[in-house]
Amino acid sequence: MEPWLKRTLVALAVFIVLSPLGILFTWDYGDAWGEWGEVKLPNGKVWTPKSYFNAPLPDYNVEGWEDKLMASIGYWISAVIGVAATMLMSLGVVKTIELWRSEEGK
Amino acid sequence: MHIPDGYLGPLTCAVMFLVMVPIWYFALKNTSKRLGPKEVPMIAVLSAVSFLVMMFNWPVPDGTTAHMVGGTLFAIILGPWASVIGITVALVIQAFFFGDGGVTALGANCFNMAFVIPFVGYFIYKALKERIGKVASAGVAAYIAINIAAVVAAIEFGVQPYIAPGYCPYGLNLSIPAMAFAHLTTAGPVAAVVTAVVVGYLERSRPDLLALKETSPNIRGE
C-alpha cells in the first residue's frame, strides 16, 4: 500500500474515533437551520414536513439510544458503516466507469 | 445544509434532479477519461473524508448547528468533476442510511454540496494561488464556496412559500440570513482552517498530490 494511502486511512480511523465530538459539541443545540422534525409557526400551528423514507439509522444513531453515552456509540457505529459504505460505493462507481471507458475504447 | 424531505415542493425537487443529470453525466464521462492508478483509491478516501467531516457538527451562536463539506479540498486535489462523484456518493449514503438529507431533495443537495462547493472552491483557489499562495487561497476558497452553497440552499428553501405552499414554511427573508449566518460564522471558518491546514501539510510533505495536473495531465477535467 502506498504510504499516503496508509496515512490517510489511519487519519480516517482517528476521526472515526473522535466522531462523537460532532454530537457532543452541539448536544444542547437545536437542529441545523431547515432540518427540523417539526416547526411551531407564529400562528400557533405546528408544521411537520412530509416524510417519504425511513432510514435504518436515523440521525446517525440507533433508535432509542438517547443519552450521551449511547448516542455516542450509535454515532461511532454510524461513522464506521458510513465510511465503509461511502468507500465501497465510490470504488464501485469508479470501477464501473473504468469498464465504461474500456468498452468505449474498443 | 442537508435539505430534508418535505421542505422542497415537487417542482423544485424535479428541477434540481433534472439539473443534476447532465452534471452527473459529465462528471462520470470526464472522470472516466482521467483515472490514473493514484486517483482511484483517492476518490474513495476523499469521498469518505467528506462523509466524515460532515458528521462533525459545530455550534452556531444562534442555537443551530453547521458543518463543513470538504468539497473545496476534494476539488483542489482531484479537480471539480471527480468531486461531484465523490460527494454525491457521500450524500447518497447519508440520505439512504442515516436520513440526513431527504431522498426527494437529493438532487438539490447534490447541486448545493457536490456541484456548487467544488466548482466555486476550485476556481477561486486556481485564481488566487499564484498571488497569495496555496495555503491562503485554499482557506479563502473553502470559506467562500461553502457560503455561496449555503445561500443557494437558502434560496431553494425560501422560494417554497411562494411556489409550493405546505412545504418549507419560511421565506427568503428568514432563510437567507439564517443560512448565511450559520456558514459565515461557523461552517465557513471551520472549512477554511481545515482546508488550509491540509493543503499546507500536503504542500510540505507531498507536493505531488497538489500537482496531479502536471503528473497526470488530464486528471482535472478541464
Side-chain angles (χ1 to χ4, degrees):
Chain A
M1 198 188 286
E2 279 206 64
W4 72 263
L5 182 57
K6 207 168 171 180
R7 237 176 286 161
T8 314
L9 292 176
V10 171
L12 274 176
V14 170
F15 280 101
I16 288 174
V17 172
L18 295 176
S19 65
L21 292 176
I23 43 164
L24 297 175
F25 280 159
T26 53
W27 193 262
D28 296 322
Y29 283 72
D31 295 307
W33 198 92
E35 299 182 26
W36 313 284
E38 59 174 44
V39 178
K40 201 153 191 256
L41 298 174
N43 63 15
K45 284 185 187 158
V46 173
W47 174 81
T48 29
K50 290 187 193 77
S51 168
Y52 308 103
F53 178 77
N54 290 315
L57 293 166
D59 295 327
Y60 305 91
N61 198 2
V62 176
E63 267 177 292
W65 290 10
E66 302 294 349
D67 62 71
K68 282 186 182 176
L69 175 67
M70 293 314 282
S72 297
I73 296 172
Y75 219 61
W76 263 321
I77 295 172
S78 301
V80 171
I81 293 176
V83 164
T86 305
M87 290 181 77
L88 283 176
M89 188 175 162
S90 38
L91 277 180
V93 171
V94 171
K95 290 288 168 197
T96 310
I97 56 179
E98 277 191 321
L99 289 179
W100 180 24
R101 174 177 61 177
S102 56
E103 281 298 311
E104 276 191 347
K106 275 175 198 164
Chain B
M1 212 187 294
H2 292 64
I3 303 172
D5 280 326
Y7 280 78
L8 302 184
L11 178 67
T12 314
C13 292
V15 168
M16 297 314 288
F17 271 108
L18 283 177
V19 169
M20 279 312 293
V21 167
I23 297 173
W24 281 322
Y25 175 78
F26 284 113
L28 292 171
K29 199 174 161 68
N30 284 329
T31 308
S32 80
K33 289 187 201 148
R34 298 168 160 88
L35 284 171
K38 261 201 196 100
E39 284 77 21
V40 174
M42 207 177 257
I43 289 178
V45 291
L46 283 173
S47 184
V49 166
S50 169
F51 176 89
L52 205 49
V53 295
M54 289 193 255
M55 287 186 78
F56 282 82
N57 298 301
W58 299 84
V60 179
D62 65 0
T64 63
T65 72
H67 57 75
M68 67 177 287
V69 173
T72 300
L73 178 65
F74 205 139
I76 288 171
I77 298 174
L78 283 182
W81 289 113
S83 313
V84 171
I85 297 175
I87 299 169
T88 294
V89 167
L91 294 172
V92 166
I93 300 293
Q94 288 169 335
F96 284 94
F97 284 40
F98 307 105
D100 194 11
V103 292
T104 56
L106 193 56
N109 285 327
C110 286
F111 182 81
N112 306 338
M113 288 181 272
F115 175 68
V116 172
I117 295 179
F119 272 87
V120 172
Y122 177 70
F123 285 107
I124 293 174
Y125 171 78
K126 215 177 115 173
L128 294 180
K129 70 174 178 180
E130 303 301 334
R131 265 172 271 177
I132 60 170
K134 286 179 179 160
V135 175
S137 41
V140 171
Y143 187 83
I144 296 174
I146 197 161
N147 277 291
I148 290 182
V151 171
V152 173
I155 292 170
E156 291 155 10
F157 276 122
V159 296
Q160 300 309 317
Y162 316 106
I163 62 169
Y167 291 88
C168 179
Y170 295 130
L172 295 165
N173 57 329
L174 290 170
S175 67
I176 291 181
M179 289 295 283
F181 182 75
H183 293 81
L184 287 168
T185 60
T186 304
V190 170
V193 170
V194 171
T195 308
V197 165
V198 175
V199 168
Y201 174 77
L202 290 176
E203 196 178 26
R204 268 183 293 117
S205 63
R206 287 298 302 270
D208 56 309
L209 295 183
L210 289 179
L212 286 174
K213 196 178 180 182
E214 288 77 38
T215 48
S216 29
N218 288 322
I219 182 66
R220 293 204 182 234
E222 288 164 357

